[in-house]
Structures are given as C-alpha cells and as structure tokens.
Amino acid sequence: MTVDAADGPLHAARIANEETSGLAAAVATEDPAAAAEFIDAYAGSGVFWNSTTRLLDGFKLLRLPETGINIDRVPGPRGPVSFRDLYLRQYVVVPSGRLTS
C-alpha cells in the first residue's frame, strides 16, 4: 500500500500512476469534482472513491472465482481475472464486404 500527500487530484493520480503497481487506487474526498478529476486521470485497473481497493476482487466485482493471475503492464488480462479472461482476443477491422471466412 502506498499512502502519500498530494497537492490535488491530478498530483495524486500522477503519484498513483508512477509510484504504484497500477492495479488499483483510491481517492478519499467529499468533493465530487476532485474525485472525478482523480478518476479521469488514473490509468490503473480499478479506481475507487471513498472505498477500499480490496473490492478489486473477481468474486466481489464479477461474482466469479478468480484464477489468481495478474499480468502487469502489458496487454492482456489485468485486475480480477476469471476463467472468461483466460483466452486471447483479437479484434479485426476490415473494409465492408471484405470479410474473411
């Protein structure tokens, strides 16, 4: 856990983005505008307002058992990973009428 004082929501988000794992961060404030600013600027998997980051759990969020796998800052599953996430996806965009079989 990282706890740090910040000069405002953007500074707090920068600290969370640069100094932590990027898995989850929480902001404690009663100011909705400050919370929104932090939430918009944080790039991690889970962002929480006046709530514990322990809620970033597959069963709590998805009602599915987790595999316990967490892939760090690379493409692929991140955060709570369930059996639905244990496959690779590929999105293909092609011109209209040019679908492949």
Side-chain angles (χ1 to χ4, degrees), residues 25-47:
V27 60
T29 181
E30 293 301 320
D31 181 353
E37 199 171 357
F38 179 84
I39 290 167
D40 289 344
Y42 179 63
S45 297
V47 61

Side-chain angles (χ1 to χ4, degrees), residues 15-76:
I15 291 169
N17 286 330
E18 295 174 3
E19 304 296 329
T20 71
S21 69
L23 184 59
V27 60
T29 181
E30 293 301 320
D31 181 353
E37 199 171 357
F38 179 84
I39 290 167
D40 289 344
Y42 179 63
S45 297
V47 61
F48 300 85
W49 176 15
N50 291 347
S51 181
T52 176
T53 59
R54 293 194 71 192
L55 293 174
L56 189 67
D57 173 83
F59 189 74
K60 286 182 173 47
L61 286 175
L62 307 171
R63 298 286 185 234
L64 298 168
E66 276 192 273
T67 64
I69 298 170
N70 179 30
I71 297 176
D72 203 12
R73 299 172 192 253
V74 296

Side-chain angles (χ1 to χ4, degrees), residues 69-91:
I69 298 170
N70 179 30
I71 297 176
D72 203 12
R73 299 172 192 253
V74 296
R78 176 130 173 93
V81 179
S82 70
F83 65 90
R84 295 186 307 194
D85 300 306
L86 295 178
Y87 60 90
L88 296 176
R89 303 173 205 46
Q90 181 183 43
Y91 298 95

